[in-house]
Amino acid sequence: MLIKRKIAEGINLNYIEDKRFKVNRVSIKFLLPLQTSKNSSRSLIFPVIIRGTENYPTEKDISIELENLYCSSVNSSYSRQGNISVQTLNVSFLRKKYIQDDTDVESGVLKLVEDVLVHPLTENGTFKCKNVEIEKSHLADSVRAEINNKGKYAINQCVRNMMSDDPFGYPINGTVDDIEKVTPKDVYEEYQSMLRTAKIEIFISGDVEMEKYADFFKNIFTAIDRNCCQDLEPLPVKTHVGEVKRIREKDNVVQGKMVIGFRAFCSNEDSLDDIIPFLVGLNVFGSGSTNKLFDNVREKMSLCYYCSALFIADKGLMIVQSGVAKENEEKAFKAIIEQLEKMKNGDIEEKEIENAKSDSISEIVAIFDYSKSIIAWNYEKMFYSKPLDPDEYIDRIKKVTKEQISDKFKKVELDTYYFLCGGDD
Amino acid sequence: MSDYRVLKYPSIDEQIICAKHKSGLQVRLIPKKLSSGCAVFGTRYGGKDNCFKLSGEKEFTEMPAGVAHYLEHKMFENEDGEDTFAKFAKYGTYANAYTSSNVTCYHFTSTTHFLDNLRILLDFVSHPYYTKENVEKEQGIIGQEIRMGDDNPGRALYYMLLNSLYENNPVKTNVVGTVESIARITPELLYKCYNTFYNLSNMRLCVSADITMDEVLGVCDEILSVQPENEIIRKPFEEKDEVNVKYSEKEMSVSKPIFIVGIKDNKILSDGNERMKRSMVSDILTTILFGPSSDFSNEVYESGLVNDFGYGNNSADTYSFCEINGESDEPEKAYEKFLNCIKNAKSIIKPEDFKRCKNSTIASYIKACDGVGIAQAEFNTAIFGTEVFDILDLVKNVTFDDVIELSEELFDEKFISLNVVKPINGENKK
């Protein structure tokens, strides 16, 4: 059961009491409109701060403190939800009853969180230059290292090509050039603007005194002169496909990585009543525990080890990925399209739909067995105009029909074909 | 009602119920009041077990590399023609399997009909069905799995390390095999391996769910028949103490060089709990020297010498090594710094660091107890003789002197190897 409390303008505390777990989790999310020019500086904010605060001036000091606090963790992530940028500070620590001595872990963790939020290490009115330069260099290395994971790289390249006219298509951490241009002042200003203007959603799962946390965050944020940003509307999702793009890229790979990008014309802009039939269909097609792509392209035709479909709901993109030998490229592509045609034509067995429904229901039920996914569920709920409770959601899954699924899939259109292949092609 | 033992761990609110089913199968249950349930059924048989015989047989049988993994794929075929995944799919259950160097595991996580799912699991793993056609069909699929691995620089680096550390130890065998080795696999070979290693006395069933041991054993009664225990003899091998190769390198499409340094531990204890304790000592030792609060990790990070730095330990019944890894323009320089660190280990390791890292290690195990995935952790330790929550006591018993002693045993250059995957033609991507 979630208790929501507004603790200041644009700041909510969401507490989900749950005594089944040994770990308490706090997740602090800062939401702002996505701006590609700010991707690099925003993604650097928390990594820079976690290198040093006023009370814990080095990363070593912070690490020692976290170890003293019985393997507590404080880390950050930078992501996006459609056209909203999300900076998250994630905190986890053991519940008091599992600490073997009288160490006050909770107070220690909150002290560290306060430091990270409002007492970062500064010099000459900005973040410490050395810390910014260290994090810039590591972030640029990580961006360059994207090519090391061929499958993921291929998906990213396909999506970037599909979304070239949308901020979503721009690299989440910026390019190496963007990162190199960032100054400590840029990061610091972005940090201050985040504290002043971001919509802040705080999630807590576990067994804590909610009042204590409400006071704690109120004290921190009321000291800041806030002017919360109201403009968090996702940009409209593209409504048509132009000419199909075909992209071949060479790399030194022994197996081709095929990624096919489709527009589903179904996205988080729609109501869940509209999305759920598509999701059940996606499960039948290529994301379920058994599915058409796996059964046919892999099991019947032995063309690949993996062939599956995923959905980027924010932008209505359906992505099919497979690793195939170059000589089987055409054959695999045809086999995938053939399965898609079956979805469009309603060539779907009742059993396939029943399996997909059971699988989808099971996924929803399992969410509530893990504190991390409970937080994620409640967070994502915020983005729907008409959110559903788990029981309602499951009820909607049960009601999905074959006709609804094929209607949804009839709208799916090929947008971009991408193939990463070996050098002598 | 069968006989079973209940191991209680009141400080973490957990228990493990242990039973030996009359078929010969050891069963473990970790009760959890959650909607999900997880079961892991597996055998102590992995990519390294390629040369073996049963007690009483004269000759060792040698198998092509990759056979354990191939067999795992083929377990999903059924005589009735219905695919195993489809059987689970009826309940919306996620099922899968994996093969490592040491074990082959079949598992599912479900949110409904737990006992029906358990029935399917026990049934398909205890009924092999290999034909010429279905074995041939898998060549294409596993061939692509092998090629996928060939494009993975991290995996390449891991096997380079194993080849460098070991001259003869079969752990260096690639679990998936090669396109050539799997071409030699036949239904007869698969049956031979199955009958040897899928004997219930060589297997474990570990369950975590809101269920009783009587219910679990009831399903075992239905599916599993009594089997005479067999004694598997793996072909012994000689391995020198020093590493096989001090340095190896390879070119692949990567943005900058990635490296792994391994330290070979030659003391492989035969008792499971003692081996686990040694691995905990090693955990604490490497955390003190290379963990997030160490000077080493902070210096290589701040100087930009190493990106994506990691460290860890890897051990089982026939091998053991520690490793550090990362990405660096100058792997040799990182290696020099590493050598310098272990040379001075004794002066670096302070009692207060030991105490802190030990407490943090204990806490990390407690943090990992939530969720039914604990059945997987239990399988991985129970198959080698340690119940997963007993690790807490093993860590608690580690002393400062244990850590110093291990550092003296391990830190000798002749046990250490550096391995590097470099960008093609030495060109780092800009």
Side-chain angles (χ1 to χ4, degrees), chain A residues 59-205:
Chain A
E59 191 180 20
K60 186 178 162 81
D61 295 324
I62 295 177
S63 300
I64 287 176
E65 181 65 0
L66 288 170
E67 283 170 355
N68 278 329
L69 296 169
Y70 286 83
C71 194
S72 296
S73 75
V74 173
N75 55 49
S76 70
S77 67
Y78 180 61
S79 60
R80 58 194 159 195
Q81 191 92 23
N83 287 39
I84 299 167
S85 86
V86 190
Q87 287 163 92
T88 308
L89 192 67
N90 285 312
V91 179
S92 75
F93 54 97
L94 274 178
R95 279 169 61 195
K96 192 167 192 293
K97 66 182 293 199
Y98 301 109
I99 307 293
Q100 321 281 327
D101 60 21
D102 54 4
T103 306
D104 187 351
V105 168
E106 185 184 51
S107 300
V109 168
L110 290 182
K111 186 167 166 257
L112 188 53
V113 168
E114 179 174 354
D115 245 43
V116 168
L117 289 175
V118 287
H119 304 298
L121 203 58
T122 56
E123 62 182 16
N124 308 323
T126 78
F127 285 133
K128 200 174 167 188
C129 184
K130 185 182 152 208
N131 286 351
V132 175
E133 290 309 319
I134 290 170
E135 287 307 323
K136 277 170 64 180
S137 141
H138 284 277
L139 185 63
D141 275 346
S142 310
V143 168
R144 290 187 194 102
E146 187 193 16
I147 184 70
N148 295 6
N149 184 334
K150 311 295 172 192
K152 205 169 155 199
Y153 172 78
I155 292 180
N156 287 346
Q157 284 293 82
C158 181
V159 171
R160 273 172 211 146
N161 275 290
M162 293 176 83
M163 304 301 289
S164 54
D165 52 358
D166 186 303
F168 194 85
Y170 201 74
I172 174 84
N173 297 314
T175 62
V176 171
D177 272 354
D178 295 340
I179 295 165
E180 281 168 355
K181 280 184 199 133
V182 168
T183 65
K185 191 163 163 269
D186 295 335
V187 188
Y188 193 70
E189 280 174 1
E190 210 40 53
Y191 156 73
Q192 288 187 311
S193 137
M194 172 189 92
L195 288 181
R196 273 202 317 272
T197 65
K199 187 170 184 295
I200 303 173
E201 292 287 338
I202 302 158
F203 292 87
I204 303 168
S205 146

Side-chain angles (χ1 to χ4, degrees), chain B residues 121-310:
Chain B
L121 176 71
L122 295 186
D123 185 60
F124 91 84
V125 179
S126 52
H127 290 96
Y129 178 65
Y130 315 131
T131 64
K132 195 163 175 289
E133 293 71 39
N134 75 31
V135 170
E136 266 170 17
K137 188 197 84 174
E138 211 67 18
Q139 301 271 348
I141 298 171
I142 296 181
Q144 286 309 316
E145 189 177 359
I146 292 169
R147 298 212 181 287
M148 180 179 80
D150 290 344
D151 283 337
N152 181 336
R155 192 181 293 196
L157 197 55
Y158 178 73
Y159 280 108
M160 283 162 69
L161 172 68
L162 291 178
N163 269 307
S164 296
L165 292 180
Y166 300 108
E167 184 183 11
N168 300 313
N169 193 323
V171 69
K172 64 197 266 184
T173 315
N174 194 318
V175 171
V176 290
T178 63
V179 172
E180 295 73 33
S181 74
I182 64 167
R184 290 191 278 131
I185 293 172
T186 62
E188 293 69 35
L189 293 187
L190 293 182
Y191 277 113
K192 170 89 183 164
C193 294
Y194 182 88
N195 290 328
T196 304
F197 290 102
Y198 284 64
N199 183 288
L200 292 171
S201 62
N202 193 46
M203 300 179 76
R204 289 284 184 287
L205 171 64
C206 299
V207 169
S208 181
D210 187 7
I211 204 152
T212 67
M213 184 54 113
D214 281 340
E215 289 174 292
V216 175
L217 293 176
V219 176
C220 294
D221 283 347
E222 285 173 44
I223 313 277
L224 305 175
S225 38
V226 178
Q227 272 182 350
E229 286 190 19
N230 66 7
E231 193 198 335
I232 302 161
I233 302 165
R234 291 156 174 92
K235 190 175 178 186
F237 58 90
E238 291 282 317
E239 185 68 52
K240 58 186 177 195
D241 280 355
E242 54 276 25
V243 295
N244 185 32
V245 179
K246 290 288 297 171
Y247 176 81
S248 77
E249 67 171 49
K250 182 180 176 175
E251 289 190 350
M252 285 179 84
S253 163
V254 288
S255 58
K256 63 157 78 176
I258 55 173
F259 70 91
I260 190 165
V261 176
I263 312 168
K264 183 174 173 182
D265 179 5
N266 292 298
K267 195 165 170 186
I268 310 298
L269 301 165
S270 54
D271 178 79
N273 279 330
E274 282 179 27
R275 211 166 49 232
M276 182 60 85
K277 185 183 165 192
R278 189 173 173 88
S279 127
M280 292 300 118
V281 177
S282 172
D283 251 357
I284 295 172
L285 170 64
T286 48
T287 305
I288 297 171
L289 292 178
F290 309 115
S293 64
S294 68
D295 284 333
F296 183 88
S297 88
N298 283 285
E299 283 166 19
V300 296
Y301 192 91
E302 284 183 13
S303 64
L305 179 59
V306 183
N307 188 37
D308 215 7
F309 176 70

Side-chain angles (χ1 to χ4, degrees), chain A residues 22 98 138 150 251 254 369, chain B residues 13-14 36 111 151 253 307:
Chain A
K22 295 178 176 48
Y98 301 109
H138 284 277
K150 311 295 172 192
D251 190 8
V254 295
D369 283 342
Chain B
D13 290 335
E14 297 285 354
S36 310
T111 57
D151 283 337
S253 163
N307 188 37

Side-chain angles (χ1 to χ4, degrees), chain A residues 378-395:
Chain A
N378 283 291
Y379 163 66
E380 273 160 31
K381 238 172 116 170
M382 298 181 345
F383 293 94
Y384 293 104
S385 49
K386 279 186 282 177
L388 299 173
D389 287 336
D391 288 343
E392 295 169 319
Y393 200 108
I394 287 170
D395 189 56

Side-chain angles (χ1 to χ4, degrees), chain A residues 22 98 100, chain B residues 9-15 366 369 389 392:
Chain A
K22 295 178 176 48
Y98 301 109
Q100 321 281 327
Chain B
Y9 305 88
S11 69
I12 53 167
D13 290 335
E14 297 285 354
Q15 50 174 302
I366 302 174
C369 291
F389 301 135
L392 292 173

